[in-house]
Amino acid sequence: MQDLDAKVMCDNLHSLVTAKAHKEAHLPEKRRINRSYAMTAFRSVLSAILLGHDIGNRLRNVLDLIARRTFVHRPGKSKSRDRHRPKPHKPTGYKAC
């Protein structure tokens, strides 16, 4: 249960940091923060922040780093899966025990 609680706490902190970085970066409407990169960048300083080592400087650096990693969001662009192509893994019923 503690692992789940820690995961939820890390996800919530990651979401807050990403939202703050997006707000402070003043990005154009079509630009979005790369959340996968943000999680990796934030995870690298999380332990130092929780221990209270130079919180302000580390948080400012990670917010700036996260704000620089963006991508162009294209609304309405989706790719459907080809129904005739098999999935890359075998169904559960065919796996060895």
Side-chain angles (χ1 to χ4, degrees), residues 10-85:
C10 286
D11 287 347
N12 288 340
L13 288 173
H14 162 257
S15 179
L16 289 172
V17 168
T18 303
K20 181 71 172 172
H22 188 273
K23 184 177 179 182
E24 288 187 359
H26 303 293
L27 297 173
E29 181 145 344
K30 291 189 176 188
R31 305 272 329 157
R32 298 282 196 271
I33 298 282
N34 184 339
R35 290 179 158 268
S36 297
Y37 182 80
M39 184 172 281
T40 303
F42 182 64
R43 192 176 292 157
S44 67
V45 297
L46 180 61
S47 59
I49 289 173
L50 290 176
L51 291 173
H53 297 289
D54 196 19
I55 297 171
N57 190 29
R58 289 178 193 264
L59 198 54
R60 172 62 42 213
N61 289 341
V62 81
L63 285 173
D64 291 341
L65 185 63
I66 289 170
R68 285 183 280 168
R69 301 292 192 255
T70 62
F71 66 95
V72 176
H73 176 70
R74 296 177 183 93
K77 183 178 180 182
S78 64
K79 298 177 182 176
S80 60
R81 184 172 61 87
D82 183 11
R83 298 287 178 187
H84 301 292
R85 185 174 169 203

Side-chain angles (χ1 to χ4, degrees), residues 81 85-97:
R81 184 172 61 87
R85 185 174 169 203
K87 291 186 177 182
H89 57 81
K90 293 182 179 180
T92 309
Y94 293 104
K95 291 184 179 178
C97 294

